Amino acid sequence: MLAKVLSAAVLGIDAYLVEVEVDLALGLPSFNTVGLPDMAVKESRDRVRAAIKNAGFDFPPKRITVNLAPADVKKEGAAFDLPIAVGILAALGFVQPARLKEHVILGELSLDGTIRPIRGALPMAVAVKEAGLPGMLFPAENAAEAAVVEGVQIVGVETLPQVIEFLNGRLTLPPTRIDLQAAFTDASDYGCDFADVKGQEHAKRAVEVAAAGGHNILLIGPPGSGKTMLARRLPTILPPLSLEEAIEATKIHSIAGLLSARTALLATRLFRAPHHTISDAGLIGGGAIPRPGEVSLAHHGVLFLDELPEFRRNVLEVLRQPLEDGQVTIARATSSLTYPARFMLAAAMNPCPCGYFTDPQKECRCTPLEIQRYRGRISGPLLDRIDLHVEVPPLRYRDLAEGTSGEPSSVIRGRVQRARRLQQGRFQKARIFCNAHMTSRQLKRYCQVGEEGQRLLQAAIERLGLSARAYDRILKVSRTIADLEGSEVIRPEHLAEAIQYRSLDRLPLP
């Protein structure tokens, strides 16, 4: 007695179809799963046995062999519980085999036969649509997430008997539908606004420039000056997510198990702020079973590293490759997975260990050697990859007591979007979307500065000792400043503003 059930599994951020083959044979009762299952898949035999019995069916005292094809790819997670249980019941004749060819089935089983949610519902639905299959049976809690993919009939199920009745045609379940426009509208509120930030006009201008060109930014200032407050409002002035970007970001969070049952689609730019005790695997991704790290969870959003020098040196150094390439490749003996990691890096740090080196009101008690060691925790190559180094001074009482609020995020976002549209038109034939990602060839073409600009750059590089990468960053930032003004050419004042955003290169020691 043989039955075949269609299912799916996740590999990286994409999914592929899996055929669950169940064979019941005479012999000593046993239950074996083959096809490179991990421990969670192997343990499904106990969950499936208990769920079938508690759902009112007799578990067959036979030799049961389950094969997960393709057999050369490792299978992970508990999503195969439901298709294995359905396959066993189909082999016993409790399920009509014709309906099994029309639906991809996924779900984790409780011991009483209820169906628990799984990870990776959205990428699995995408894979089913690409395969041209008509429908899927999902846990009810995952149905809204999977229904984001149009063209596939998503049916949410809650118990094993319900699944059997549906497959036999004795129960009609309505497909789950979702209004994408409503989902975008309902989830588009950030909960914070730039109007909350008082004073700090220079820092707000720098954050606007960073958002307009997709540049990385480092905020330097004493405790309480508003560095974290500024960084948390950076996503609110970035251009809205497109549907393609939203689906890609949602896929990553779905695979990581971070998507709540009430969230069908992520509609806002993501903001991730890991603690400085994070490991390199937690930041980049990895583990025995590879999982996306914080850099991938911040895809199309902002990764904020507060107290940057407190992060371990090896953790910071692994950031260099994803900052350049926009993706992370995790290699293991059995496989190699690539996760997208196109994010904006926002970081914050104090100017010295005690934090008050640049504070005019409080005395700094750090020695020059301590300050040098503190700043030396951040390597030069990493600093070169951060386009803007901005000093955030302590707030004065006049700014705190001022009753008027600053510009709202919507007004700043309008200027950012206008600059981004100029960049999209400029790079429409290239595979980049903002100035921060320009190549050397594009720098030569789009960042001509003239003789006066060249003299200004030469003086800055000779006095500050900037590297070649820092020179490129200045050109990219000046191009963004010109775009914010709607200027086709980069003028000397644009270059001057870009140069003064290299604060850490010119911040003196006591």
Side-chain angles (χ1 to χ4, degrees):
M1 293 178 285
L2 177 67
K4 296 183 179 181
V5 181
L6 291 175
S7 189
V10 172
L11 184 65
I13 68 164
D14 297 314
Y16 61 98
L17 295 184
V18 175
E19 190 173 48
V20 180
E21 301 174 318
V22 180
D23 178 68
L24 305 184
L26 297 175
L28 291 174
S30 62
F31 195 134
N32 296 311
T33 304
V34 297
L36 285 183
D38 72 346
M39 187 56 65
V41 180
K42 290 179 180 178
E43 289 176 348
S44 67
R45 59 173 178 251
D46 298 316
R47 294 191 296 272
V48 168
R49 183 184 289 112
I52 289 177
K53 287 182 178 180
N54 292 325
F57 300 98
D58 292 328
F59 193 82
K62 296 180 180 293
R63 181 171 181 172
I64 303 173
T65 303
V66 177
N67 178 46
L68 306 176
D72 59 341
V73 182
K74 191 173 182 63
K75 317 299 186 308
E76 303 166 358
F80 296 110
D81 290 2
L82 184 57
I84 290 173
V86 170
I88 292 173
L89 294 175
L92 291 171
F94 289 109
V95 181
Q96 295 179 10
R99 297 291 295 272
L100 293 177
K101 299 178 182 179
E102 300 174 0
H103 292 86
V104 173
I105 302 174
L106 292 138
E108 177 185 343
L109 283 173
S110 298
L111 299 186
D112 61 356
T114 58
I115 301 172
R116 295 179 177 272
I118 60 171
R119 297 180 177 183
L122 181 57
M124 291 175 183
V126 172
V128 170
K129 180 181 179 179
E130 291 174 350
L133 296 172
M136 302 182 75
L137 295 183
F138 260 117
E141 292 186 37
N142 296 120
E145 174 191 341
V148 169
V149 180
E150 298 178 343
V152 180
Q153 189 180 59
I154 306 297
V155 178
V157 290
E158 297 178 348
T159 64
L160 178 58
Q162 189 183 49
V163 174
I164 302 305
E165 292 295 301
F166 174 80
L167 292 173
N168 287 329
R170 294 192 292 266
L171 177 66
T172 300
L173 294 174
T176 302
R177 303 190 185 282
I178 184 170
D179 186 344
L180 283 180
Q181 187 61 42
F184 256 69
T185 303
D186 294 342
S188 60
D189 183 24
Y190 284 96
C192 59
D193 196 280
F194 252 92
D196 304 330
V197 182
K198 295 185 177 182
Q200 304 296 13
E201 299 304 324
H202 170 70
K204 285 193 284 188
R205 165 67 176 177
V207 171
E208 179 181 338
V209 170
H215 302 289
N216 303 319
I217 184 170
L218 173 62
L219 302 172
I220 310 159
S225 57
K227 303 185 295 295
T228 302
M229 190 176 189
L230 285 164
R232 287 193 179 278
R233 282 152 181 77
L234 177 54
T236 69
I237 63 173
L238 291 173
L241 280 175
S242 66
L243 179 59
E244 182 182 353
E245 290 174 332
I247 288 177
E248 196 169 25
T250 306
K251 284 167 66 174
I252 299 171
H253 278 68
S254 176
I255 292 164
L258 299 177
L259 208 62
S260 69
R262 295 170 296 177
T263 304
L265 192 67
L266 295 173
T268 58
R269 298 280 176 180
L270 298 162
F271 182 85
R272 303 291 300 181
H275 194 260
H276 65 260
T277 56
I278 192 172
S279 66
D280 50 358
L283 188 64
I284 297 299
I289 300 174
R291 290 281 183 264
E294 291 291 335
V295 296
S296 297
L297 295 173
H299 186 52
H300 294 315
V302 176
L303 177 68
F304 178 52
L305 303 183
D306 200 5
E307 304 296 343
L308 186 64
E310 302 300 330
F311 285 79
R312 290 194 290 272
R313 183 70 174 257
N314 65 304
V315 174
L316 292 178
E317 292 307 301
V318 296
L319 273 176
R320 288 156 59 175
Q321 184 254 336
L323 283 173
E324 291 289 336
D325 301 338
Q327 62 182 22
V328 173
T329 300
I330 301 171
R332 293 292 181 266
T334 56
S335 64
S336 179
L337 301 177
T338 298
Y339 293 112
R342 180 66 70 187
F343 60 92
M344 274 185 63
L345 175 64
M349 63 177 286
N350 296 327
C352 66
C354 77
Y356 298 113
F357 174 52
T358 57
D359 193 327
Q361 304 297 327
K362 297 183 180 180
E363 182 183 359
C364 173
R365 299 183 180 277
C366 304
T367 65
L369 182 59
E370 288 174 336
I371 297 176
Q372 190 173 6
R373 285 176 178 171
Y374 179 75
R375 297 182 191 170
R377 296 177 188 175
I378 309 170
S379 68
L382 179 60
L383 279 177
D384 280 348
R385 287 170 170 83
I386 300 177
D387 305 353
L388 292 88
H389 309 160
V390 183
E391 288 186 68
V392 184
L395 279 172
R396 297 168 297 179
Y397 174 77
R398 183 176 59 190
D399 295 325
L400 290 171
E402 190 176 17
T404 58
S405 58
E407 279 188 311
S409 294
S410 57
V411 174
I412 303 174
R413 189 192 305 121
R415 295 197 294 266
V416 169
Q417 286 183 268
R418 285 194 293 272
R420 286 288 184 106
R421 283 193 290 269
L422 289 175
Q423 295 165 47
Q424 289 168 4
R426 182 181 302 133
F427 305 127
Q428 60 182 347
K429 295 182 180 179
R431 298 182 62 184
I432 62 175
F433 306 99
C434 56
N435 289 334
H437 305 150
M438 279 193 288
T439 62
S440 298
R441 181 179 299 179
Q442 290 159 342
L443 273 175
K444 292 180 181 178
R445 181 176 179 182
Y446 300 118
C447 297
Q448 300 292 330
V449 297
E451 292 185 8
E452 187 178 351
Q454 289 289 359
R455 289 195 296 271
L456 182 61
L457 279 172
Q458 180 181 357
I461 288 174
E462 289 176 352
R463 294 183 63 180
L464 300 178
L466 301 179
S467 67
R469 184 178 282 114
Y471 170 79
D472 288 348
R473 303 291 176 183
I474 290 174
L475 288 178
K476 292 177 181 179
V477 173
S478 61
R479 177 69 267 171
T480 299
I481 296 169
D483 288 341
L484 280 169
E485 290 191 7
S487 173
E488 287 292 330
V489 297
I490 299 175
R491 298 195 295 269
E493 57 265 30
H494 301 150
L495 278 170
E497 183 178 352
I499 291 169
Q500 59 97 23
Y501 288 139
R502 303 294 301 182
S503 295
L504 211 60
D505 295 324
R506 53 187 172 81
L507 200 62
L509 290 172

